[in-house]
Amino acid sequence: MTTMLDILSVVGARPQFVKLAPLARALHARQEVQHRIVHTGQHYDDRMSSIFFEQLALPTPELNLGVGSGSHGQQTADMLRGIEACLLEQRPDAVLVYGDTNSTLAAVMAATKLHIPVAHVEAGLRSYDRHMPEEINRLAADHCSDRLYAPTPLAMANLARENLAERAVLSGDVMRDAVIAHHDIALAESRVLEQLDLADQPFVLVTLHRPVNTTRESLTQLLHGLMASLDNSMRVIFPMHPRTRAVLGSTIDALPPALSVIDPLAYLDMLRIASAAGLIMTDSGGLQKEAAFLRTPCITAREQTEWVETVDMGVNRLVGRDLTRLAAALDHFLHGPDPFTPETAICMDNEYGKGDAAQRHCDDLVEWLGAASIAAASTGGDPT
């Protein structure tokens, strides 16, 4: 290669900032790469955006589209318009997209239509639940992207079943890289346990944000069911998404008193509190994995998960909104044997990698784009 590779990452939501951090560091270390970041503004609250850039030591985005919230169609359309204008002006050699948000979908659509190569980080995940908007985004991103970075062997198998194996690379999970890199920092710097008076007592950490779980009826039912099963034996800490708080309104005042509703947590605080929790209940995809990486049992308030490996290892249980299954899962994890064994640790390494995923992504990306440039030069054509 005679010229520097220009790679543009498009992100917009807090899980994507976490995935970006290890890759941004790996790409920055390559002299032949110029790496820039576009922030769509999908998550715009300081507690869900700027604090993540600060704690993860991410470079300032070159552009923030400031899209904000809205319906799926409106949000994706606004992002598509802004990303397309950026790509037309800058014409990077490749676009990196992350995960399965509307930011992912918009970036893939914009770049693909402009014939700019796209690489999808965290490809091949499937929950097989098309009621989840993320599932639609994953499918579209994988089938339109030119390079697919599968975090697990199961993700690779999913891509092979969809005839996408030739584009796919088993890369490991960059979120595990992030946890490994920041866990000790979180233990040293975060004061969240002291601030919440949790340092010497058991507690359950809850995050719920999906629309199916955050109507007033479904959310209050889940939380009251959780508290009844715990019988006030443990505090419950609920960092609440601003949208969920807005849906609940004054209903928050009717929630059980042992339940502590707090503002969303910064990344280091979230790592420390998740590591210290006796149990996590969530409907988040990323937190299911982070719980496993931090050796904290997890109950997932969904009927399906894209992270099947955590269920197969026995460290995560799916309960949906069924209070009977929730009570059984609580009893299993709180009173049964520790699900994290030496065999689990080996399985975790085999499934998600040992913390070198970002370097593997970076090495392959540079090699792949270099090969594409050489092929284009030899034919006088476009690299795509």
Side-chain angles (χ1 to χ4, degrees):
M1 274 178 295
T2 58
T3 59
M4 180 173 284
L5 287 171
D6 183 12
I7 298 172
L8 188 72
S9 282
V10 179
V11 293
R14 55 190 288 178
Q16 293 175 316
F17 309 148
V18 177
K19 297 176 183 102
L20 169 63
L23 260 173
R25 283 191 290 273
L27 290 167
H28 179 73
R30 301 294 290 251
Q31 293 184 345
E32 70 273 42
V33 172
Q34 173 181 263
H35 177 234
R36 297 174 292 153
I37 300 168
V38 169
H39 186 342
T40 66
Q42 181 174 341
H43 281 175
Y44 50 88
D45 187 289
D46 285 346
R47 294 162 298 182
M48 301 176 69
S49 179
S50 60
I51 189 65
F52 277 72
F53 276 79
E54 177 185 329
Q55 292 192 344
L56 292 164
L58 283 166
T60 301
E62 185 166 289
L63 177 66
N64 190 322
L65 301 178
V67 167
S69 58
S71 69
H72 287 289
Q74 175 190 343
Q75 190 181 66
T76 306
D78 290 345
M79 291 174 185
L80 183 56
R81 186 182 299 112
I83 295 167
E84 181 184 59
C86 173
L87 295 181
L88 283 169
E89 178 182 350
Q90 299 185 6
R91 281 286 174 176
D93 294 305
V95 172
L96 265 178
V97 299
Y98 301 77
D100 52 22
T101 72
N102 288 340
S103 298
T104 311
L105 179 63
V108 168
M109 293 294 102
T112 300
K113 287 177 178 290
L114 293 174
H115 305 291
I116 297 172
V118 180
H120 183 199
V121 177
E122 206 175 80
L125 304 187
R126 298 293 182 266
S127 68
Y128 299 102
D129 179 4
R130 294 205 179 191
H131 290 96
M132 292 175 60
E134 295 91 340
E135 186 76 357
I136 305 302
N137 294 345
R138 291 179 202 124
L139 287 162
D142 284 345
H143 283 264
C144 290
S145 295
D146 304 280
R147 200 67 164 174
L148 302 171
Y149 292 114
T152 66
L154 178 58
M156 279 291 286
N158 290 338
L159 293 169
R161 277 194 292 272
E162 295 172 24
N163 297 316
L164 297 174
E166 289 186 359
R167 307 181 204 173
V169 176
L170 180 60
S171 57
D173 193 309
V174 290
M175 286 190 81
R176 189 161 202 212
D177 290 24
V179 169
I180 291 171
H182 293 92
H183 184 228
D184 286 347
I185 298 172
L187 295 182
E189 296 185 5
S190 171
R191 302 271 70 84
V192 67
L193 299 184
E194 293 78 7
Q195 291 162 2
L196 296 173
D197 194 24
L198 293 170
D200 297 313
Q201 62 173 300
F203 65 93
V204 174
L205 176 66
V206 172
T207 75
L208 298 167
H209 72 280
R210 296 186 182 279
V212 69
N213 286 330
T214 51
T215 64
R216 290 189 184 189
E217 179 182 2
S218 61
L219 186 57
T220 54
Q221 181 184 48
L222 268 173
L223 293 175
H224 279 283
L226 173 65
M227 301 304 292
S229 296
L230 291 172
D231 194 24
N232 294 318
S233 61
M234 300 173 74
R235 280 184 64 189
V236 176
I237 309 299
F238 187 176
M240 189 174 284
H241 191 290
R243 181 181 59 79
T244 305
R245 191 182 286 270
V247 167
L248 285 177
S250 60
T251 311
I252 288 179
D253 298 333
L255 293 176
L259 175 74
S260 300
V261 175
I262 63 174
D263 289 333
L265 293 171
Y267 182 63
L268 295 182
D269 286 341
M270 196 64 182
L271 279 185
R272 188 170 184 217
I273 199 170
S275 178
L279 181 76
I280 291 173
M281 184 172 87
T282 189
D283 58 10
S284 160
L287 189 53
Q288 292 175 56
K289 278 190 305 177
E290 287 170 330
F293 300 157
L294 295 168
R295 298 178 58 86
T296 302
C298 183
I299 293 173
T300 299
R302 287 164 50 181
E303 295 294 345
Q304 297 88 14
T305 180
E306 59 274 27
W307 298 109
V308 178
E309 301 87 354
T310 62
V311 177
D312 291 344
M313 285 184 228
V315 300
N316 182 17
R317 282 200 169 189
L318 303 177
V319 301
R321 295 196 305 279
D322 186 319
L323 299 186
T324 301
R325 287 157 61 195
L326 171 59
L330 283 166
D331 182 68
H332 173 78
F333 283 134
L334 295 177
H335 303 116
D338 185 353
F340 292 93
T341 65
E343 290 75 19
T344 306
I346 294 169
C347 189
M348 205 80 68
D349 288 346
N350 291 339
E351 296 292 345
Y352 296 104
K354 300 180 180 180
D356 61 348
Q359 193 59 55
R360 292 164 69 181
H361 281 76
C362 183
D363 290 345
D364 180 81
L365 186 66
V366 170
E367 181 180 352
W368 169 62
L369 289 174
S373 296
I374 292 168
S378 67
T379 60
D382 190 298
T384 59

